[in-house]
Amino acid sequence: MVSSETMRQRGRRKGGGNEGSDGMRKLLLGLGFLVQGFRCFPWMAVNFFLKDGLKVDPSTLQILQSSANLPMVAKPFYGILSDSFYIFGQHRVPYIAFGAFLQAVSWIAIFLSPSNISFFTITLYLLLGNLGASVVEVANDAMVAELGKPPSSSSKNHQNSSSGQLQSFVWIASSVGGVLGNLAGGIAIDRFSPQVMFLMFGILLSIQFLVTIFIHENSLDLPKSPSNRGIKKQLSELLVALQKPEIYYSIIWFAASYAMIPALTGTMFYYQTQHLGIESSVLGISKVFGQAAMLLWGVIYNKNLKSMSPRKLISAIQATMAVFMFSDFLFVKGVYRMFGIPDSLYVVLFSGLLEVLYFFKILPFTVVMAQLCPPGCEGSVMAFLMSALALALIISGWIGVALSSFFQVTGNDFSGLPRALLIQAVCTLLPVYWSSCIPDGIKPKTKAKEG
């Protein structure tokens, strides 16, 4: 007798599952990644609220931007939990609903707080929101890893045609959310108070929560996990997976390539808004341009670059980042102004693109990691990867604060910013020299035919 799971796997090999399941997956994942991309909407309001409302300095803003990622560091725990602990027979959808609920509570709580809310209190609320966001991301990433993994007996042609397809879909959904979030944020910041923007996002999260609780996991036709045997067993399998050289070398390089770059986003935000007087609407357009580039990147990768060597592609992205950061050095030195290029034009075209270029390599890297993940611990491995990224971004932010302090960059004195940007560009180029840690393509597994 053929089991139902075997039938589901045969269906996925033939056509990717039934149309109903495919539609429900795209609804759940599309909405989830769309809302995830839209998170830039309230965070734009947070930046202006801290700068204009609470009057914090650039270093304090940078510290908050980095430290707010602390809940993301615990992603492996959330991944192990979702892989091994089922709620009402489901191990993905309930976690998405719970994470959306936590986010809605945190942003609505900030809206209900007085305008003179303390820095400590708003930090706690933002940490709670990012805790919910990290739980949602872990569950979503695990689903993408499970559904995006080609069967082991697939041919090379089948693998090349299907590998990365779902990753590209959710990447595009997240990019669309980013475009809409930044566009709406740039418009709303001039028309509404930051608190009202917090409420708007809280309502959107409430809608996501309501939609999610009405979707049952059985309708998604997810592959059954072979390791549903408790947290201890799942942790053991995660440790086994991380002992594979192609996995742990890749993760170490990926995290280091972010951690060693001093983040100067908070300082550049103050430089553009306070020193140059760039309007918030221009910043919004800049971010929209960047998110549109990210959306285009997802389409181009899916159609033309999936077959390219991951090592060469990721190294090329890293080198391009260094070029753009050196361009920021020329911008602050006034070189482009000497050639008649307005500051606002540079901010729209180059600053927005650099901000998203920083994350371009995530798409090809997650495709590689999804193929490397052993069956049954996709959620744990992908969560560990995102946890390493979150920790790297925190370290990057704190190094950026130290670098700005070393060159005595403040909210009123940006004379040391060019030197800080030059060091940032050099640090960005360094990981290219040990890019051999990145797998140079994943060879499909083939099983010998038994006579």
Side-chain angles (χ1 to χ4, degrees), residues 103-114 117 125 128:
Q103 292 181 82
V105 168
S106 67
W107 289 107
I108 293 176
I110 299 176
F111 162 73
L112 296 175
S113 300
I117 181 176
Y125 285 141
L128 177 64

Side-chain angles (χ1 to χ4, degrees), residues 105-169:
V105 168
S106 67
W107 289 107
I108 293 176
I110 299 176
F111 162 73
L112 296 175
S113 300
S115 57
N116 60 344
I117 181 176
S118 67
F119 181 80
F120 176 75
T121 302
I122 193 173
T123 300
L124 290 180
Y125 285 141
L126 293 174
L127 286 171
L128 177 64
N130 275 356
L131 171 62
S134 61
V135 172
V136 172
E137 289 175 9
V138 165
N140 281 332
D141 289 341
M143 288 176 59
V144 172
E146 289 172 337
L147 296 169
K149 180 188 292 294
S152 59
S153 60
S154 297
S155 66
K156 184 175 181 179
N157 290 337
H158 180 274
Q159 186 187 31
N160 286 340
S161 64
S162 61
S163 177
Q165 197 168 47
L166 186 59
Q167 285 91 341
S168 296
F169 168 76

Side-chain angles (χ1 to χ4, degrees), residues 3-58:
S3 66
S4 59
E5 175 59 21
T6 302
M7 292 295 292
R8 279 195 294 269
Q9 289 184 0
R10 288 179 180 176
R12 275 191 292 274
R13 292 182 185 182
K14 289 181 180 181
N18 61 69
E19 294 181 1
S21 297
D22 188 60
M24 294 302 291
R25 294 173 196 162
K26 288 186 175 180
L27 172 62
L28 182 65
L29 291 173
L31 178 62
F33 280 88
L34 183 76
V35 174
Q36 180 179 322
F38 200 81
R39 290 178 63 213
C40 57
F41 176 81
W43 272 97
M44 180 181 292
V46 168
N47 289 338
F48 280 97
F49 179 71
L50 294 175
K51 171 179 170 288
D52 301 326
L54 300 186
K55 307 294 183 182
V56 302
D57 55 49

